[in-house]
Amino acid sequence: MPPTDLPTAVGDAPTLASRRLDDLPERVARSRPADGDDAIDVFAPATGERIGRVPACDADDVAAAVERARDAQAEWAETPAAERARVVDRFGDLVADRRETLLDLLQLETGKSRRTAVEELFDVPTGCAYVASEAPDALAEERRRGVAPGITTATVTREPVGVVGVISPWNYPLTLSMADAIPALAAGNAVVLKPDEKTPFGALLLSELLEVAGLPADLFQVVTGEGPRVGPPLIDAVDYVAFTGSTATGRTIAERAGRNLIGCSLELGGNNPLVVLGDADVEEAARGAVQACFSNAGQLCLSAERIYVVESAYDAFLDAFVRETEAVTLGTGYDYDADLGSLVDADQLARVESHVEDARERGATVETGGRARPDVGPSCYEPTILTGVEPDATVACEETFGPVAAVTPVPDADAAIAAANDSPYGLNASVWTADRERGAEIAREIDCGTVNVNDAFLATWGANDAPMGGFGDSGLGRRHGPEGIRRYTETRTVGVSRVGPLTFPDRIPTDWFVRGAFAAMGVGRRASRAVDAVRRRFSRP
Ligand code: NAD
């Protein structure tokens, strides 16, 4: 059991006092399910116990939630960006203040270790701090070049799209809900969040904290329920959808958003490569690989699953990686003792077991791990290293989303780059070398949205000012950075003429005018090329 009095009482803030976990669904579009209502049971992965129930919302619940959100959004859109940013900032502070309660709840509903829960929770206030400081500038009116100097002006304003639907997964339920919802709110939108049915309680608790922070009532709605039942009516009713989840579901989301002609961002799966060059510090690379492959028991979209090591470093790296992996501790406690927690449920465990079994049957060697640990928890699995994995084995081609890494020797850096890029996915990669400049050059040749040199994933994920997202089957659009805020806006360009209508003048013969206009355009283009060259010369990093 968690150390606080969860699951019977959640929270210590005045508004959360004496809350029971089963009361939190009152935050949902439809109120708390009574016995016999259409409801979803939620289980604790670490023990298999039922911890609560949430309503199984339907299309009517979704429509009502979106309507309420839309009504609240009109006033919020008129609230100055700096004031909206202050609400976001206060929310970040509240999350930091309530961290013990949130950590307990996060562990309870995901089964992750306390260490991983801290990594996740830390992300929410740091993301809020970034959005609060960046949003007013990212959303500010901008002057752009007009038709020609002195003739017209062009001004771009950014308007919120309206209501944003956020559909989030179970693996990082707080971070991945808020990384999309907070910038949407800061940009003046309402948000209707559909958390994963396995992990609804963290999102519900955060919805309370948003209101405590000063977010107007109804602006942030939560609809709980099964994806195929709640997702489609949500996409049909909102003005933008931000989805995080599997590539298969992402395709159905994109199709529906396309039919409705609304924007979408899709943060999808990966089968991420980690490259160790011949000059790498193998001890450091091995510690990095443990973090890259086994954080959150490998249930992390940025996790490395394919490791390519240049032959000269292979034996030393494999020895160090196996040693470091065998030192990893597995547990389900609410303290900091265990490095790794449980997988999320029996389905996820079965998927991991089947991928390892498939590799074994095709001749792979299990260097360490390779078995479930029911003695620790019903869905626990040991961190596992495989070698001799055939290129067509499931672990080599598909996302396992578990604590399993396949290590393969390659002759040189070029072969490592080719192997890394031999995948339809392109989410995250990691390169290990003693030569940071060469590492950065190699990073530019890897077809992934984020590439970390001498780090697993935090160098890019933690850089809130830099965009994050996937190439290829790993998704569309970017979160983080100004891009992550502006995706939730429509631009409006206002052009003003200082000389009246821009048309053929009456008093100049047409052929003279056309000749003059092209000559002026030639001069203008040469002048702007010269100005651009000077600007580039002086803005080079
Ligand atoms: P999933 O696609 O099954 O579910 C994700 C969310 O979509 C859940 O809320 C689910 O209820 C909902 N959903 C399911 N079917 C739906 C439908 N037809 N319409 C609308 N919504 C629907 O994903 P999962 O397997 O539970 O999550 C793990 C996957 O998420 C992995 O592939 C992982 O790589 C990916 N992921 C990606 C990122 C990223 O940032 N790129 C982050 C975390 C997880």
Side-chain angles (χ1 to χ4, degrees):
M1 284 299 289
T4 64
D5 47 356
L6 276 170
T8 50
V10 177
D12 48 5
T15 55
L16 308 181
S18 310
R19 265 220 182 277
R20 296 169 61 82
L21 201 55
D22 268 339
D23 286 345
L24 275 172
E26 279 171 5
R27 310 290 309 169
V28 185
R30 181 144 56 80
S31 63
R32 185 151 65 100
D35 281 347
D37 270 5
D38 205 1
I40 294 173
D41 289 324
V42 183
F43 297 91
T47 59
E49 286 164 323
R50 197 191 86 158
I51 53 171
R53 303 173 82 213
V54 289
C57 291
D58 59 19
D60 290 343
D61 299 320
V62 171
V66 174
E67 203 179 310
R68 275 198 297 277
R70 202 174 284 292
D71 287 348
Q73 191 262 339
E75 201 181 325
W76 182 242
E78 299 302 317
T79 305
E83 211 169 297
R84 297 194 302 247
R86 277 194 287 280
V87 173
V88 165
D89 221 8
R90 275 198 298 274
F91 170 68
D93 288 345
L94 283 171
V95 169
D97 288 349
R98 308 284 188 272
R99 61 183 175 276
E100 290 305 318
T101 302
L102 283 161
L103 288 171
D104 287 348
L105 184 53
L106 191 51
Q107 280 197 277
L108 182 69
E109 67 177 358
T110 63
K112 61 180 63 187
S113 70
R114 191 78 165 184
R115 288 160 190 256
T116 313
V118 169
E119 274 177 22
E120 169 165 2
L121 191 66
F122 196 74
D123 201 70
V124 178
T126 50
C128 287
Y130 172 74
V131 170
S133 82
E134 180 62 28
D137 285 344
L139 300 167
E141 190 173 291
E142 269 181 275
R143 283 293 286 270
R144 298 283 179 95
R145 289 182 211 175
V147 174
I151 294 184
T152 63
T153 59
T155 308
V156 178
T157 59
R158 291 176 192 279
E159 317 296 338
V161 291
V163 181
V164 172
V166 174
I167 302 179
S168 61
W170 47 263
N171 61 331
Y172 282 75
L174 302 186
T175 291
L176 296 175
S177 299
M178 292 302 125
D180 286 336
I182 290 296
L185 293 169
N189 300 284
V191 168
V192 179
L193 168 68
K194 193 216 95 56
D196 192 280
E197 46 276 34
K198 294 194 247 306
T199 53
F201 291 114
L204 291 168
L205 195 49
L206 291 186
S207 78
E208 290 211 351
L209 290 185
L210 277 166
E211 270 187 46
V212 177
L215 197 75
D218 289 344
L219 198 68
F220 183 85
Q221 301 276 322
V222 181
V223 285
T224 52
E226 303 284 349
R229 190 174 181 204
V230 174
L234 181 63
I235 299 165
D236 288 349
V238 296
D239 306 298
Y240 188 99
V241 59
F243 172 78
T244 307
S246 63
T247 298
T249 309
R251 287 188 202 285
T252 70
I253 306 276
E255 276 170 19
R256 202 158 188 118
R259 270 207 300 280
N260 294 342
L261 285 181
I262 61 167
C264 66
S265 51
L266 306 169
E267 301 289 346
L268 309 180
N271 184 7
N272 305 305
L274 183 149
V275 167
V276 182
L277 300 184
D279 65 351
D281 174 338
V282 288
E283 294 292 332
E284 193 178 271
R287 285 196 300 279
V290 167
Q291 188 193 10
C293 301
F294 305 133
S295 285
N296 202 31
Q299 303 167 119
L300 166 65
C301 57
L302 306 171
S303 268
E305 300 193 344
R306 302 177 288 138
I307 300 186
Y308 301 106
V309 189
V310 172
E311 273 156 7
S312 56
Y314 182 77
D315 289 338
F317 170 79
L318 186 61
D319 279 354
F321 187 30
V322 169
R323 185 177 3 94
E324 291 289 340
T325 300
E326 286 176 348
V328 166
T329 51
L330 202 58
T332 56
Y334 286 78
D335 49 31
Y336 290 93
D337 286 352
D339 298 310
L340 239 69
S342 173
L343 296 174
V344 79
D345 62 12
D347 288 347
Q348 195 63 21
L349 176 64
R351 179 187 172 101
V352 170
E353 284 180 315
S354 78
H355 280 205
V356 172
E357 218 32 62
D358 168 80
R360 251 186 198 141
E361 278 166 13
R362 293 166 192 260
T365 303
V366 177
E367 300 286 343
T368 184
R371 61 192 179 119
R373 289 294 300 273
D375 53 316
V376 181
S379 300
C380 287
Y381 196 88
E382 285 185 345
T384 300
I385 300 175
L386 303 173
T387 54
V389 171
E390 289 294 320
D392 60 350
T394 321
V395 270
C397 328
E398 283 180 27
E399 183 183 42
T400 301
F401 219 52
V404 181
V407 188
T408 307
V410 287
D412 52 30
D414 285 344
I417 294 167
N421 287 339
D422 186 15
S423 167
Y425 295 107
L427 190 59
N428 182 57
S430 171
V431 177
W432 295 81
T433 171
D435 182 344
R436 286 196 293 275
E437 270 179 35
R438 183 157 171 253
E441 274 165 28
I442 286 174
R444 289 188 185 94
E445 293 186 51
I446 296 183
D447 299 334
C448 286
T450 48
V451 187
N452 302 269
V453 177
N454 294 341
D455 188 49
F457 48 80
L458 283 174
T460 51
W461 171 267
N464 275 300
D465 195 28
M468 185 270 151
F471 284 24
D473 286 0
S474 290
L476 275 182
R478 296 291 182 264
R479 60 160 61 110
H480 287 178
E483 295 87 339
I485 301 168
R486 290 180 178 154
R487 70 184 145 149
Y488 298 121
T489 60
E490 294 281 15
T491 58
R492 180 185 289 122
T493 299
V494 175
V496 176
S497 170
R498 292 195 171 112
V499 294
L502 299 176
T503 181
F504 282 43
D506 295 339
R507 283 187 297 278
I508 306 175
T510 304
D511 56 338
W512 284 32
F513 175 75
V514 170
R515 222 176 299 144
F518 273 86
M521 180 182 70
V523 171
R525 285 174 61 204
R526 276 192 293 278
S528 70
R529 272 202 295 269
V531 169
D532 287 348
V534 171
R535 200 182 287 147
R536 271 196 294 274
R537 170 82 186 77
F538 288 103
S539 66
R540 214 166 268 162

